[in-house]
């Protein structure tokens, strides 16, 4: 069983057995088949990897655990559907979360605008409102170190705001290469 041929032959044998001896398979108690399936599934789970996964991303690991639990307790279709819904909700939250913090500068230091999360068109009004509150003559530092993603609409907004801010006599510290890398 060291080549792909062994896996193919195993599949062919199972197919022949299911097609030719289906009446014999019906004699096997469903609970026994379910127990074998759960046992095999548990042997496939690497607990060390799951612990590392938990440390890396608790929310993603939680979705995995909930999905696996529902598959075992309820049924496969319910577990997979719930897992897809939870994963889609997590993605929607990740791509719609943006925190804009404006920290005033001290002792002639520029004020800092920190962007955290994903700057998508969903948060364009929030970003625009925060930038418009800044005085045109202020020294500003735009911190995008914790920005995970920026879409074209928000990138254009920042570039246009930068041009207006500089034209009005303000100063702006912005690493466009870093910002473009998140695009």
């Amino acid at each position: 069983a060291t080549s792909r041929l062994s896996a193919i032959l195993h599949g062919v044998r199972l197919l022949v057995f299911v097609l030719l001896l289906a009446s014999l398979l019906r004699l096997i108690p469903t609970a026994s088949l379910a127990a074998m399936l759960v046992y095999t599934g548990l042997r496939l789970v690497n607990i060390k990897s799951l612990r590392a996964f938990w440390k890396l991303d608790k929310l993603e690991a939680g979705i995995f655990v909930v999905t696996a639990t529902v598959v075992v307790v309820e049924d496969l279709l319910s577990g997979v559907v719930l897992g897809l819904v939870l994963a889609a909700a997590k993605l929607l939250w990740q791509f719609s979360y943006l925190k804009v913090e404006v920290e005033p500068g001290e002792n002639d230091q520029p004020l800092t605008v920190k962007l955290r999360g994903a700057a998508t068109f969903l948060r364009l009004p929030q970003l625009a409102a925060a930038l418009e509150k800044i005085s045109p003559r202020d020294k500003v530092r735009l911190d995008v170190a914790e920005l995970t993603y920026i879409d074209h609409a928000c990138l254009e907004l920042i570039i246009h705001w930068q041009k207006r801010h500089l034209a009005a006599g303000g100063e702006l510290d912005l690493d466009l290469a870093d910002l473009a890398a998140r695009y």
Side-chain angles (χ1 to χ4, degrees):
T2 58
S3 69
R4 290 185 182 193
L5 181 62
S6 65
I8 293 170
L9 289 176
H10 182 68
V12 169
R13 285 188 209 114
L14 281 174
L15 181 63
V16 168
F17 191 71
V18 168
L19 291 176
L20 298 179
L21 301 170
S23 59
L24 185 62
L25 284 176
R26 287 190 200 106
L27 297 175
I28 301 173
T30 306
S32 298
L33 291 173
M36 285 177 55
L37 182 63
V38 168
Y39 174 73
T40 304
L42 287 175
R43 288 190 56 208
L44 291 173
V45 175
N46 185 341
I47 300 299
K48 289 180 183 178
S49 295
L50 189 57
R51 285 185 189 136
F53 189 37
W54 182 264
K55 290 177 184 175
L56 182 67
D57 188 354
K58 287 183 177 35
L59 186 58
E60 193 73 33
I63 291 172
F64 171 78
V65 168
V66 167
T67 302
T69 302
V70 172
V71 165
V72 171
V73 172
E74 193 64 33
D75 60 61
L76 178 65
L77 182 62
S78 299
V80 169
V81 168
L82 180 64
L84 285 172
V85 167
L86 290 174
K90 177 186 178 255
L91 279 174
L92 182 63
W93 181 80
Q94 279 181 329
F95 279 114
S96 66
Y97 172 77
L98 177 67
K99 187 169 187 176
V100 181
E101 292 178 345
V102 179
E103 299 173 352
E106 299 175 7
N107 301 333
D108 200 36
Q109 293 294 318
L111 66 88
T112 303
V113 178
K114 286 188 178 183
L115 301 178
R116 291 184 186 151
T120 64
F121 70 95
L122 296 171
R123 296 296 175 201
L124 189 66
Q126 175 190 4
L127 179 59
L131 292 176
E132 292 304 320
K133 289 180 184 176
I134 297 172
S135 171
R137 301 215 182 262
D138 281 345
K139 292 180 183 177
V140 179
R141 185 173 83 78
L142 193 61
D143 182 4
V144 295
E146 295 182 50
L147 189 66
T148 58
Y149 174 78
I150 185 166
D151 70 2
H152 184 72
C154 290
L155 186 61
E156 286 292 318
L157 173 77
I158 291 173
I159 290 170
H160 288 301
W161 178 81
Q162 176 189 23
K163 289 176 183 175
R164 286 194 324 264
H165 188 74
L166 295 175
E171 294 180 29
L172 180 63
D173 177 17
L174 170 63
D175 185 2
L176 278 176
D178 189 25
L179 188 62
R182 296 169 195 286
Y183 171 65

